[in-house]
Amino acid sequence: MFDRNRQVLTLDEFTIQQYRTIPNATGELSTLLRDIALAAKRINVEVNKAGLVDIIGDAGTTNVQGESVKKLDVYANNQMVGVLRHGISCAGICSEEMDDIVVFNDEMSNKSKYVVMFDPLDGSSNIDTNVSIGTIFGVYRRISEPGKPCQLNDFLQSGLKQVAAGYVVYGSSTMFVYATRRGVNGFTLDPSIGEFCLSHPDIQCPADGKIYSVNGGYFSQYKENVKKFINVLQNKTRQDGGPLTQRFTGSMVADLHRTLIKGGIFLYPLTTENPDGKLRLMYECNPFAFIMEVAGGNASSGSQRILEIIPRKLHDRTPIFIGSKNMIEECLGYLNS
Ligand code: P6P
């Protein structure tokens, strides 16, 4: 009898299929993505039952950003650090939840060629209200000497140096979306077999969209040229005659997953409260900028391409304007006017 599960490729089958077509590939990236997917499955279980057990609520600590850390944040961070430390493909990590890099510094890890930067559970302020949240990651080839412990400069690379980037969205379904320079592909978790299965092959971000995503509550804090562009969006008439729609969930992964799939523009400009922007460059903006550009979209800080920003510190922040190519082009026209 035909095996139903052979109808779609699992994440592992897909990454191995990709690896087989790349000369001199070692399979380390496939193994790394499998490790991250394992952590995501474990995080997914806790996110899905968060309302039932005492895992909601504050862990009583604050992270490097000075934000109160939710217990699920801590759990998610531990899962990500754990699978990467015990795998064979990662020399060390940088996490939104940890002040400094974690150098794994064991014989196998020191031989690994990648380092990973991640936000283990972004949007965690939404956990208590059941809004979709997510994990975001970026994979870099280390530049320090293989065989030795990784170093800070392995992490302070521009987003252009990413080998792969991805996110997991814990929503109405759980999806693992990742990009290499070869394309962006989405995998939906099939709980019946516990595998992420290819559901969105070769994702392309539409060149235009009907949705703009910005926190209107900060309007008074935006620069005049940003206000002008938001006013344009509020009064724009679509080609079919209707107005645009505004959607802002307060969860970057949810807002950007929608923007990637449906098209549109997401704006998180600098404000007087956050003069450097709120979103973090290395493990929020760079991964999504990489994914969006591979999918045909664009991502800018307003003054330069996100992927070209040279980081100064691990937890740098940046304003971000990201999404459909044509909408970003129009936006930059106003920002640079
Ligand atoms: P605000 C969540 O805390 C987050 O980092 C992103 O996921 C989200 O896009 C943004 O902050 C929302 O911030 O200030 O609009 O609530």
Side-chain angles (χ1 to χ4, degrees), residues 174-258:
T174 300
M175 273 191 74
F176 183 104
V177 179
Y178 86 93
T180 62
R181 295 246 168 248
R182 298 160 70 105
V184 185
N185 291 280
F187 301 79
T188 299
L189 184 63
D190 178 347
S192 71
I193 57 172
E195 294 286 358
F196 284 104
C197 297
L198 184 63
S199 54
H200 296 66
D202 192 23
I203 298 173
Q204 299 291 319
C205 179
D208 273 302
K210 304 175 181 175
I211 301 171
Y212 66 97
S213 188
V214 63
N215 186 333
Y218 300 144
F219 187 84
S220 63
Q221 297 187 41
Y222 295 144
K223 285 190 170 177
E224 287 312 309
N225 54 12
V226 173
K227 290 179 180 178
K228 197 185 296 182
F229 179 60
I230 292 173
N231 282 329
V232 166
L233 295 170
Q234 288 169 333
N235 296 292
K236 205 173 187 68
T237 303
R238 300 194 317 254
Q239 283 173 346
D240 63 6
L244 298 186
T245 295
Q246 179 177 356
R247 290 272 187 281
F248 188 81
T249 70
S251 177
M252 182 184 197
V253 174
D255 284 322
L256 284 184
H257 179 64
R258 181 198 60 243

Coordinates of all heavy atoms in Angstrom, one line a residue, residues 174-258:
T174 N 2.1 24.9 13.6 CA 3.5 25.2 13.9 C 4.3 25.0 12.7 O 4.3 23.9 12.1 CB 4.0 24.3 15.0 OG1 3.2 24.5 16.2 CG2 5.4 24.6 15.4
M175 N 4.9 26.1 12.2 CA 5.7 26.1 11.0 C 7.1 26.4 11.2 O 7.5 27.2 12.0 CB 5.1 27.1 10.0 CG 4.0 26.5 9.2 SD 3.6 27.7 7.8 CE 5.0 27.4 6.7
F176 N 8.0 25.7 10.5 CA 9.4 25.9 10.5 C 9.7 26.4 9.1 O 9.5 25.8 8.1 CB 10.2 24.6 10.7 CG 11.7 24.7 10.8 CD1 12.3 24.6 12.1 CD2 12.5 24.8 9.7 CE1 13.7 24.6 12.2 CE2 13.9 24.9 9.8 CZ 14.5 24.8 11.0
V177 N 10.2 27.7 9.0 CA 10.5 28.3 7.7 C 12.0 28.6 7.7 O 12.5 29.2 8.7 CB 9.7 29.6 7.5 CG1 10.1 30.2 6.1 CG2 8.2 29.3 7.5
Y178 N 12.7 28.2 6.7 CA 14.1 28.6 6.6 C 14.6 28.9 5.2 O 14.0 28.5 4.2 CB 15.0 27.5 7.2 CG 15.5 26.4 6.3 CD1 16.7 26.5 5.6 CD2 14.7 25.3 6.1 CE1 17.1 25.5 4.8 CE2 15.1 24.3 5.2 CZ 16.3 24.4 4.6 OH 16.7 23.4 3.7
A179 N 15.6 29.7 5.1 CA 16.2 30.1 3.9 C 17.7 29.9 3.8 O 18.4 30.0 4.8 CB 16.0 31.7 3.7
T180 N 18.1 29.4 2.6 CA 19.5 29.5 2.3 C 19.5 30.3 1.0 O 18.5 30.7 0.5 CB 20.1 28.1 1.9 OG1 19.4 27.6 0.8 CG2 20.0 27.1 3.1
R181 N 20.7 30.6 0.4 CA 20.7 31.4 -0.8 C 19.9 30.7 -1.9 O 19.6 31.3 -3.0 CB 22.1 31.6 -1.3 CG 22.9 32.5 -0.3 CD 23.3 33.8 -0.8 NE 23.8 34.7 0.2 CZ 23.1 35.8 0.6 NH1 22.0 36.1 0.1 NH2 23.6 36.6 1.6
R182 N 19.6 29.4 -1.8 CA 18.9 28.6 -2.8 C 17.4 28.8 -2.7 O 16.7 28.4 -3.7 CB 19.2 27.1 -2.7 CG 20.7 26.8 -2.9 CD 21.0 25.4 -2.3 NE 20.4 24.4 -3.0 CZ 21.1 23.6 -3.9 NH1 22.4 23.7 -4.0 NH2 20.5 22.6 -4.5
G183 N 16.9 29.4 -1.6 CA 15.4 29.6 -1.6 C 14.9 29.5 -0.2 O 15.6 29.2 0.8
V184 N 13.6 29.9 -0.1 CA 12.9 29.9 1.2 C 11.9 28.8 1.2 O 11.1 28.7 0.2 CB 12.2 31.2 1.5 CG1 11.6 31.2 2.9 CG2 13.2 32.4 1.3
N185 N 11.9 27.9 2.2 CA 10.9 26.8 2.2 C 10.3 26.7 3.6 O 10.9 26.9 4.6 CB 11.6 25.5 1.8 CG 12.0 25.5 0.3 OD1 11.2 25.3 -0.6 ND2 13.3 25.8 0.1
G186 N 9.0 26.4 3.6 CA 8.2 26.3 4.8 C 7.7 24.9 5.1 O 7.3 24.2 4.1
F187 N 7.8 24.4 6.3 CA 7.4 23.1 6.7 C 6.4 23.2 7.9 O 6.7 23.9 8.9 CB 8.7 22.3 7.2 CG 9.8 22.3 6.1 CD1 10.6 23.3 5.9 CD2 9.9 21.1 5.4 CE1 11.6 23.3 4.9 CE2 10.9 21.0 4.4 CZ 11.7 22.1 4.1
T188 N 5.4 22.4 7.8 CA 4.3 22.4 8.8 C 4.4 21.2 9.6 O 4.6 20.1 9.1 CB 2.9 22.5 8.2 OG1 2.8 23.8 7.4 CG2 1.8 22.5 9.2
L189 N 4.3 21.3 11.0 CA 4.5 20.2 11.9 C 3.2 19.3 11.7 O 2.1 19.7 11.9 CB 4.6 20.7 13.3 CG 4.9 19.6 14.4 CD1 6.2 18.8 14.1 CD2 4.9 20.2 15.8
D190 N 3.5 18.0 11.4 CA 2.4 17.0 11.4 C 2.5 16.2 12.7 O 3.4 15.4 12.9 CB 2.6 16.0 10.2 CG 1.6 14.9 10.1 OD1 0.9 14.8 11.1 OD2 1.5 14.3 9.1
P191 N 1.7 16.5 13.7 CA 1.8 15.9 15.0 C 1.6 14.4 14.9 O 2.2 13.7 15.8 CB 0.6 16.5 15.8 CG 0.2 17.7 15.0 CD 0.5 17.5 13.6
S192 N 1.0 13.9 13.9 CA 0.8 12.4 13.8 C 2.1 11.7 13.6 O 2.2 10.5 13.9 CB -0.2 12.1 12.6 OG 0.4 12.3 11.4
I193 N 3.1 12.3 13.0 CA 4.4 11.7 12.8 C 5.5 12.5 13.5 O 6.7 12.1 13.5 CB 4.7 11.5 11.3 CG1 4.7 12.8 10.6 CG2 3.8 10.5 10.7 CD1 5.3 12.6 9.2
G194 N 5.1 13.6 14.1 CA 6.1 14.4 14.8 C 7.2 14.9 13.9 O 8.4 15.1 14.3
E195 N 6.9 15.2 12.7 CA 7.8 15.7 11.7 C 7.3 17.0 11.1 O 6.1 17.2 10.8 CB 8.1 14.7 10.6 CG 8.8 13.4 11.1 CD 10.3 13.6 11.4 OE1 10.8 14.7 11.2 OE2 10.9 12.6 11.8
F196 N 8.3 17.9 10.8 CA 7.9 19.1 10.0 C 7.9 18.6 8.5 O 8.9 18.1 8.0 CB 9.0 20.2 10.2 CG 8.9 21.0 11.4 CD1 9.8 20.7 12.5 CD2 7.9 21.9 11.6 CE1 9.7 21.4 13.7 CE2 7.8 22.6 12.8 CZ 8.7 22.4 13.8
C197 N 6.8 18.9 7.8 CA 6.6 18.4 6.4 C 6.5 19.6 5.5 O 5.8 20.6 5.8 CB 5.4 17.5 6.3 SG 5.5 16.0 7.4
L198 N 7.2 19.4 4.3 CA 7.2 20.5 3.3 C 5.8 20.9 2.9 O 5.1 20.1 2.3 CB 8.0 20.1 2.1 CG 8.2 21.1 1.0 CD1 9.0 22.3 1.5 CD2 8.9 20.5 -0.2
S199 N 5.4 22.1 3.2 CA 4.0 22.6 2.9 C 4.0 23.8 2.1 O 3.1 24.2 1.4 CB 3.3 22.9 4.2 OG 4.0 23.8 5.0
H200 N 5.1 24.6 2.1 CA 5.3 25.8 1.4 C 6.6 25.9 0.6 O 7.5 26.5 1.1 CB 5.2 27.0 2.3 CG 3.9 27.2 3.0 ND1 3.4 26.3 4.0 CD2 2.9 28.2 3.0 CE1 2.2 26.7 4.4 NE2 1.9 27.8 3.9
P201 N 6.7 25.1 -0.5 CA 8.0 25.1 -1.2 C 8.2 26.4 -1.9 O 7.3 27.1 -2.4 CB 7.8 24.0 -2.2 CG 6.3 23.8 -2.4 CD 5.7 24.3 -1.1
D202 N 9.5 26.8 -1.9 CA 10.0 28.0 -2.7 C 9.1 29.2 -2.5 O 8.5 29.8 -3.4 CB 10.0 27.7 -4.2 CG 10.7 28.7 -5.0 OD1 11.6 29.5 -4.4 OD2 10.4 28.9 -6.2
I203 N 9.0 29.7 -1.3 CA 8.2 30.9 -0.9 C 8.7 32.1 -1.6 O 9.9 32.4 -1.5 CB 8.1 31.1 0.6 CG1 7.5 29.8 1.3 CG2 7.3 32.3 1.0 CD1 7.6 29.9 2.9
Q204 N 7.8 32.9 -2.2 CA 8.1 34.2 -2.8 C 7.3 35.2 -2.2 O 6.1 35.1 -2.0 CB 7.8 34.2 -4.3 CG 8.6 33.1 -5.1 CD 10.1 33.4 -5.2 OE1 10.5 34.6 -5.4 NE2 10.9 32.4 -5.0
C205 N 7.9 36.3 -1.8 CA 7.2 37.5 -1.2 C 6.6 38.3 -2.3 O 7.3 38.8 -3.2 CB 8.1 38.3 -0.3 SG 7.2 39.7 0.4
P206 N 5.2 38.5 -2.4 CA 4.7 39.3 -3.5 C 5.3 40.7 -3.6 O 5.6 41.2 -2.5 CB 3.2 39.3 -3.1 CG 2.9 38.1 -2.3 CD 4.2 37.9 -1.5
A207 N 5.4 41.2 -4.8 CA 6.1 42.5 -5.0 C 5.3 43.6 -4.4 O 5.8 44.7 -4.1 CB 6.3 42.7 -6.4
D208 N 4.0 43.4 -4.2 CA 3.1 44.4 -3.6 C 2.2 43.7 -2.6 O 2.0 42.5 -2.6 CB 2.2 45.1 -4.7 CG 2.9 46.3 -5.3 OD1 3.3 47.2 -4.5 OD2 3.2 46.3 -6.5
G209 N 1.6 44.5 -1.7 CA 0.6 43.9 -0.7 C -0.4 44.9 -0.3 O -0.4 46.1 -0.6
K210 N -1.4 44.3 0.4 CA -2.6 45.2 0.8 C -2.5 45.4 2.3 O -3.5 46.0 2.9 CB -3.9 44.4 0.5 CG -4.0 44.0 -1.0 CD -5.3 43.2 -1.2 CE -5.4 42.8 -2.7 NZ -6.6 41.9 -2.9
I211 N -1.5 45.0 3.0 CA -1.5 45.1 4.5 C -0.2 45.9 4.9 O 0.9 45.6 4.4 CB -1.4 43.7 5.1 CG1 -2.7 42.9 4.7 CG2 -1.4 43.8 6.6 CD1 -2.6 41.4 5.1
Y212 N -0.4 46.8 5.8 CA 0.8 47.5 6.4 C 0.7 47.2 7.9 O -0.4 47.1 8.5 CB 0.8 48.9 6.1 CG -0.3 49.8 6.6 CD1 -0.1 50.6 7.8 CD2 -1.5 50.0 5.9 CE1 -1.1 51.4 8.3 CE2 -2.5 50.8 6.4 CZ -2.3 51.5 7.6 OH -3.3 52.3 8.0
S213 N 1.9 47.1 8.5 CA 2.0 46.6 9.9 C 2.9 47.6 10.7 O 4.1 47.6 10.4 CB 2.5 45.2 9.9 OG 2.5 44.6 11.2
V214 N 2.3 48.3 11.5 CA 3.0 49.3 12.3 C 2.2 49.6 13.6 O 1.0 49.5 13.6 CB 3.3 50.6 11.6 CG1 1.9 51.3 11.3 CG2 4.2 51.5 12.3
N215 N 3.0 49.9 14.7 CA 2.3 50.2 16.0 C 1.9 51.6 16.0 O 2.7 52.5 16.2 CB 3.2 49.9 17.2 CG 2.5 50.1 18.5 OD1 1.5 50.8 18.6 ND2 2.9 49.4 19.5
G216 N 0.6 51.8 15.6 CA 0.1 53.2 15.5 C 0.1 54.0 16.8 O 0.1 55.2 16.9
G217 N 0.3 53.2 17.9 CA 0.3 53.9 19.3 C 1.5 54.8 19.4 O 1.5 55.7 20.3
Y218 N 2.6 54.6 18.6 CA 3.8 55.4 18.8 C 3.8 56.5 17.7 O 4.8 57.2 17.5 CB 5.0 54.5 18.6 CG 5.2 53.4 19.6 CD1 5.7 52.2 19.3 CD2 4.8 53.6 20.9 CE1 5.8 51.1 20.2 CE2 4.9 52.5 21.9 CZ 5.4 51.3 21.5 OH 5.6 50.3 22.4
F219 N 2.7 56.7 17.0 CA 2.7 57.6 15.9 C 3.3 59.0 16.2 O 4.2 59.5 15.5 CB 1.3 57.9 15.3 CG 1.2 58.7 14.1 CD1 1.4 58.1 12.8 CD2 1.0 60.1 14.1 CE1 1.3 58.8 11.7 CE2 1.0 60.8 13.0 CZ 1.1 60.2 11.7
S220 N 3.0 59.5 17.4 CA 3.5 60.8 17.8 C 5.0 60.8 18.0 O 5.7 61.9 18.0 CB 2.8 61.3 19.1 OG 3.2 60.3 20.2
Q221 N 5.6 59.6 18.2 CA 7.1 59.5 18.4 C 7.9 59.3 17.1 O 9.1 59.4 17.2 CB 7.4 58.4 19.4 CG 6.8 58.5 20.8 CD 7.3 57.4 21.7 OE1 8.5 57.0 21.6 NE2 6.4 56.8 22.4
Y222 N 7.2 59.1 16.0 CA 7.9 58.8 14.8 C 8.4 60.1 14.2 O 7.9 61.2 14.4 CB 7.0 58.1 13.8 CG 6.5 56.7 14.2 CD1 5.3 56.3 13.9 CD2 7.4 55.9 14.9 CE1 4.9 55.0 14.3 CE2 7.0 54.6 15.3 CZ 5.7 54.2 15.0 OH 5.3 52.9 15.4
K223 N 9.5 60.0 13.3 CA 9.9 61.2 12.6 C 8.9 61.6 11.6 O 8.1 60.8 11.1 CB 11.2 60.8 11.9 CG 12.5 60.7 12.8 CD 13.7 60.6 12.0 CE 15.0 60.8 12.8 NZ 16.2 60.5 12.0
E224 N 9.0 62.9 11.2 CA 8.0 63.5 10.3 C 7.9 62.7 8.9 O 6.8 62.5 8.4 CB 8.3 65.0 10.0 CG 8.0 65.9 11.1 CD 6.6 65.6 11.7 OE1 5.6 65.6 11.0 OE2 6.5 65.4 13.0
N225 N 9.0 62.3 8.4 CA 8.9 61.5 7.1 C 8.3 60.2 7.3 O 7.6 59.7 6.3 CB 10.3 61.4 6.4 CG 11.3 60.8 7.3 OD1 11.0 60.2 8.4 ND2 12.6 60.9 6.9
V226 N 8.4 59.6 8.4 CA 7.7 58.3 8.7 C 6.2 58.5 8.8 O 5.4 57.8 8.3 CB 8.3 57.6 10.0 CG1 7.5 56.4 10.4 CG2 9.8 57.3 9.8
K227 N 5.9 59.6 9.6 CA 4.4 60.0 9.7 C 3.8 60.2 8.3 O 2.7 59.7 8.1 CB 4.3 61.2 10.6 CG 4.6 61.1 12.0 CD 4.5 62.4 12.8 CE 4.8 62.3 14.2 NZ 4.7 63.7 14.9
K228 N 4.6 60.9 7.5 CA 4.1 61.2 6.1 C 3.8 59.9 5.4 O 2.7 59.7 4.8 CB 5.1 62.0 5.4 CG 4.5 62.8 4.2 CD 5.6 63.5 3.4 CE 6.3 64.6 4.2 NZ 7.3 65.3 3.4
F229 N 4.7 58.9 5.5 CA 4.5 57.7 4.7 C 3.3 56.9 5.3 O 2.5 56.3 4.6 CB 5.8 56.8 4.8 CG 5.6 55.5 4.1 CD1 5.3 55.4 2.7 CD2 5.8 54.3 4.8 CE1 5.1 54.2 2.0 CE2 5.6 53.1 4.1 CZ 5.3 53.0 2.7
I230 N 3.2 56.9 6.7 CA 2.0 56.2 7.3 C 0.7 56.8 6.8 O -0.3 56.1 6.5 CB 2.2 56.2 8.8 CG1 3.4 55.3 9.2 CG2 0.9 55.7 9.5 CD1 3.7 55.3 10.7
N231 N 0.7 58.1 6.7 CA -0.5 58.8 6.2 C -0.8 58.4 4.8 O -2.0 58.2 4.5 CB -0.3 60.4 6.3 CG -0.5 60.9 7.7 OD1 -1.2 60.3 8.5 ND2 0.3 61.9 8.1
V232 N 0.2 58.2 4.0 CA 0.0 57.8 2.6 C -0.6 56.4 2.6 O -1.6 56.2 1.9 CB 1.4 57.7 1.9 CG1 1.3 57.0 0.5 CG2 1.9 59.2 1.6
L233 N -0.1 55.5 3.5 CA -0.7 54.2 3.6 C -2.2 54.2 4.0 O -3.0 53.5 3.5 CB 0.1 53.3 4.5 CG 1.6 53.0 4.1 CD1 2.4 52.4 5.3 CD2 1.6 52.1 2.9
Q234 N -2.4 55.1 5.0 CA -3.8 55.2 5.5 C -4.8 55.7 4.5 O -6.0 55.4 4.5 CB -3.8 56.1 6.7 CG -3.1 55.5 7.9 CD -2.9 56.5 9.1 OE1 -2.8 57.7 8.8 NE2 -2.8 56.1 10.3
N235 N -4.3 56.4 3.5 CA -5.2 57.0 2.5 C -5.1 56.4 1.1 O -5.7 56.9 0.1 CB -4.9 58.5 2.4 CG -5.2 59.2 3.7 OD1 -6.4 59.3 4.1 ND2 -4.2 59.6 4.4
K236 N -4.3 55.3 1.0 CA -4.0 54.7 -0.3 C -5.2 53.9 -0.8 O -5.9 53.3 0.0 CB -2.8 53.7 -0.1 CG -2.0 53.4 -1.4 CD -0.8 52.6 -1.0 CE 0.2 52.4 -2.2 NZ 0.8 53.6 -2.6
T237 N -5.5 54.0 -2.1 CA -6.5 53.1 -2.6 C -5.9 52.0 -3.5 O -5.0 52.3 -4.3 CB -7.4 54.0 -3.6 OG1 -7.9 55.1 -2.8 CG2 -8.6 53.2 -4.1
R238 N -6.3 50.8 -3.2 CA -5.7 49.6 -3.9 C -6.1 49.7 -5.4 O -7.1 50.3 -5.7 CB -6.2 48.3 -3.2 CG -5.9 48.2 -1.8 CD -6.1 46.7 -1.4 NE -7.3 46.2 -1.9 CZ -8.4 46.0 -1.2 NH1 -8.4 46.3 0.1 NH2 -9.5 45.4 -1.7
Q239 N -5.4 48.9 -6.2 CA -5.8 48.8 -7.6 C -7.3 48.4 -7.8 O -7.9 48.8 -8.7 CB -4.8 47.8 -8.3 CG -3.5 48.4 -8.6 CD -2.5 47.4 -9.1 OE1 -2.7 46.2 -9.1 NE2 -1.3 47.9 -9.6
D240 N -7.8 47.5 -6.8 CA -9.2 47.1 -7.0 C -10.1 48.1 -6.3 O -11.3 47.8 -6.1 CB -9.3 45.6 -6.4 CG -9.0 45.6 -4.9 OD1 -8.8 46.7 -4.3 OD2 -9.0 44.5 -4.4
G241 N -9.6 49.2 -5.9 CA -10.5 50.3 -5.4 C -10.6 50.3 -3.9 O -11.0 51.3 -3.3
G242 N -10.3 49.3 -3.1 CA -10.4 49.4 -1.7 C -9.2 50.0 -1.0 O -8.2 50.2 -1.6
P243 N -9.4 50.2 0.4 CA -8.3 50.7 1.1 C -7.3 49.6 1.5 O -7.6 48.4 1.3 CB -9.0 51.3 2.4 CG -10.1 50.3 2.6 CD -10.6 50.0 1.2
L244 N -6.1 50.0 2.0 CA -5.2 49.0 2.6 C -5.8 48.6 3.9 O -6.7 49.2 4.5 CB -3.8 49.6 2.7 CG -3.1 50.0 1.5 CD1 -1.6 50.5 1.8 CD2 -3.1 49.0 0.4
T245 N -5.2 47.5 4.5 CA -5.6 47.0 5.8 C -4.4 47.2 6.7 O -3.2 46.9 6.3 CB -5.9 45.5 5.7 OG1 -7.1 45.4 4.9 CG2 -6.2 44.9 7.1
Q246 N -4.6 47.5 8.0 CA -3.5 47.6 9.0 C -3.6 46.4 9.9 O -4.7 46.1 10.4 CB -3.5 48.9 9.8 CG -2.3 48.8 10.8 CD -2.2 50.1 11.6 OE1 -3.0 51.1 11.4 NE2 -1.3 50.2 12.5
R247 N -2.5 45.7 10.1 CA -2.5 44.5 11.0 C -1.2 44.7 11.8 O -0.1 44.8 11.2 CB -2.4 43.2 10.3 CG -3.7 42.8 9.5 CD -4.7 42.1 10.4 NE -5.8 41.5 9.7 CZ -6.9 42.3 9.4 NH1 -6.9 43.6 9.7 NH2 -7.9 41.8 8.7
F248 N -1.3 44.6 13.2 CA -0.1 44.6 14.0 C -0.4 43.8 15.2 O -1.2 44.1 16.1 CB 0.3 46.1 14.4 CG 1.6 46.2 15.1 CD1 2.8 46.2 14.4 CD2 1.7 46.2 16.5 CE1 4.0 46.2 15.1 CE2 2.9 46.3 17.2 CZ 4.1 46.3 16.4
T249 N 0.3 42.6 15.3 CA 0.0 41.7 16.4 C 0.9 41.9 17.7 O 0.6 41.4 18.7 CB 0.2 40.3 16.0 OG1 1.6 40.0 15.9 CG2 -0.5 40.0 14.7
G250 N 2.0 42.7 17.5 CA 2.9 42.8 18.6 C 3.8 41.6 18.7 O 4.5 41.4 19.7
S251 N 3.8 40.7 17.7 CA 4.7 39.6 17.7 C 5.3 39.6 16.3 O 4.7 39.3 15.3 CB 3.9 38.3 17.9 OG 4.7 37.2 17.7
M252 N 6.6 39.9 16.3 CA 7.3 40.1 15.0 C 7.2 38.9 14.1 O 7.0 39.0 12.9 CB 8.8 40.4 15.3 CG 9.7 40.6 14.1 SD 11.4 40.8 14.6 CE 12.0 41.6 13.1
V253 N 7.3 37.7 14.7 CA 7.3 36.5 13.9 C 6.0 36.3 13.2 O 5.9 36.0 12.0 CB 7.6 35.2 14.7 CG1 7.5 33.9 13.9 CG2 9.1 35.3 15.3
A254 N 4.9 36.6 13.9 CA 3.5 36.5 13.3 C 3.4 37.5 12.2 O 2.9 37.2 11.1 CB 2.5 36.7 14.4
D255 N 3.8 38.8 12.5 CA 3.6 39.8 11.5 C 4.5 39.6 10.3 O 4.0 39.9 9.2 CB 3.9 41.2 12.2 CG 2.8 41.7 13.1 OD1 1.6 41.5 12.7 OD2 3.1 42.3 14.1
L256 N 5.7 39.1 10.5 CA 6.5 39.0 9.3 C 6.2 37.7 8.5 O 6.4 37.6 7.3 CB 8.0 39.0 9.7 CG 8.5 40.5 10.0 CD1 9.9 40.6 10.4 CD2 8.1 41.4 8.9
H257 N 5.7 36.6 9.2 CA 5.3 35.4 8.5 C 4.2 35.8 7.5 O 4.2 35.5 6.4 CB 4.9 34.4 9.5 CG 4.4 33.1 8.8 ND1 5.2 32.3 8.0 CD2 3.1 32.5 8.8 CE1 4.5 31.3 7.6 NE2 3.3 31.4 8.0
R258 N 3.2 36.6 8.0 CA 2.1 37.1 7.2 C 2.6 37.9 6.0 O 2.2 37.7 4.9 CB 1.1 37.9 8.0 CG -0.1 38.3 7.3 CD -0.9 39.5 8.0 NE 0.0 40.6 8.2 CZ 0.4 41.1 9.4 NH1 -0.1 40.5 10.5 NH2 1.1 42.1 9.5

